[in-house]
Amino acid sequence: DVKVTQSSRYLVKRTGEKVFLECVQDMDHENMFWYRQDPGLGLRLIYFSYDVKMKEKGDIPEGYSVSREKKERFSLILESASTNQTSMYLCASSPLSTGYGYTFGSGTRLTVV
Amino acid sequence: LAKTTQPISMDSYEGQEVNITCSHNNIATNDYITWYQQFPSQGPRFIIQGYKTKVTNEVASLFIPADRKSSTLSLPRVSLSDTAVYYCLVGVDDNYGQNFVFGPGTRLSVLP
């Protein structure tokens, strides 16, 4: 089975801190994605990557950056965490860019205080 | 702006068939329609995917009309463990180019 592993299930950070969310997949997928999920707003795409060192903005990239130095690892960075970034963050990977067979991680619930 | 719509919630009883429809008026020509299931505190899990007509696997069926502007996920004989949120995912063509959009999700509650 494809596995997507997110480094933390729960995280509490202070306003202004730099936050790193890590995601690793073990199936050699080219594509990786970061979503955030909020009640009433569904799943919103932050950033995605089709290849190492490649990144594309999603629907809500403001306040975030990403890094993909290795194929299996995709990191989401909150440069200066704010309370409105309190959310559930979901990483996903897929072999194609068409939404086929996304595999999601278990999510990281981030609270910014 | 591309919009994908689903009913917000549905109730059903154990043993019934449940049909959840997703409307996607501006679906991209070449993209699949994919459905996911999500339990609380977990990531969405792939259920089924199709391009047109009907697709069936061991857990669900997916019905897609010829114009592909909607799709219906069918869950036969639901059980309590099917209580979850169900999302459709489609590629859409909008003013910003091709984009992949999740529906808002349908919260299915299966009652005993």
Side-chain angles (χ1 to χ4, degrees):
Chain A
D1 273 357
V2 175
K3 209 164 195 180
V4 176
T5 304
Q6 295 183 230
S7 53
S8 306
R9 288 301 304 273
Y10 300 94
L11 215 49
V12 180
K13 296 291 182 180
R14 294 194 182 280
T15 300
E17 276 193 78
K18 190 169 186 175
V19 181
F20 292 86
L21 302 183
E22 305 288 346
C23 176
V24 177
Q25 51 97 1
D26 65 1
M27 277 298 289
D28 203 35
H29 284 172
E30 289 78 15
N31 307 308
M32 297 189 75
F33 308 82
W34 275 105
Y35 286 86
R36 68 177 279 179
Q37 185 173 35
D38 301 287
L41 296 177
L43 288 148
R44 294 181 292 168
L45 181 62
I46 306 171
Y47 267 98
F48 59 101
S49 169
Y50 289 141
D51 202 351
V52 175
K53 297 192 186 296
M54 303 288 287
K55 60 183 179 183
E56 296 285 343
K57 292 180 180 179
D59 298 320
I60 51 163
E62 296 78 19
Y64 303 95
S65 62
V66 291
S67 172
R68 188 138 181 232
E69 296 297 319
K70 294 184 178 181
K71 191 175 186 179
E72 67 271 18
R73 187 178 297 270
F74 192 35
S75 303
L76 180 69
I77 304 155
L78 286 66
E79 296 291 343
S80 177
S82 64
T83 55
N84 62 13
Q85 292 179 308
T86 292
S87 185
M88 168 70 89
Y89 290 88
L90 290 160
C91 175
S93 73
S94 79
L96 296 168
S97 63
T98 61
Y100 177 82
Y102 278 23
T103 300
F104 282 86
S106 298
T108 296
R109 185 165 294 282
L110 172 67
T111 302
V112 183
V113 298
Chain B
L1 189 64
K3 198 161 178 70
T4 303
T5 61
Q6 301 176 233
I8 297 298
S9 64
M10 296 179 73
D11 290 337
S12 181
Y13 290 95
E14 281 192 290
Q16 289 186 331
E17 178 184 76
V18 171
N19 296 308
I20 306 172
T21 296
C22 177
S23 296
H24 28 78
N25 289 334
N26 51 348
I27 184 171
T29 304
N30 297 320
D31 282 333
Y32 284 82
I33 299 160
T34 313
W35 283 81
Y36 296 82
Q37 176 191 56
Q38 187 179 26
F39 297 113
S41 300
Q42 294 185 24
R45 184 176 69 101
F46 174 91
I47 302 175
I48 196 167
Q49 181 184 69
Y51 183 77
K52 61 180 178 180
T53 63
K54 177 184 174 182
V55 178
T56 297
N57 64 18
E58 63 276 9
V59 298
S61 293
L62 181 59
F63 298 91
I64 304 168
D67 66 6
R68 300 195 342 117
K69 293 185 184 298
S70 66
S71 59
T72 299
L73 173 71
S74 181
L75 304 172
R77 297 180 300 281
V78 294
S79 64
L80 297 176
S81 62
D82 292 317
T83 293
V85 180
Y86 293 83
Y87 293 93
C88 60
L89 173 68
V90 299
V92 296
D93 286 327
D94 59 22
N95 291 335
Y96 304 94
Q98 194 178 52
N99 192 15
F100 296 102
V101 179
F102 276 95
T106 298
R107 184 175 299 278
L108 173 65
S109 299
V110 180
L111 308 172

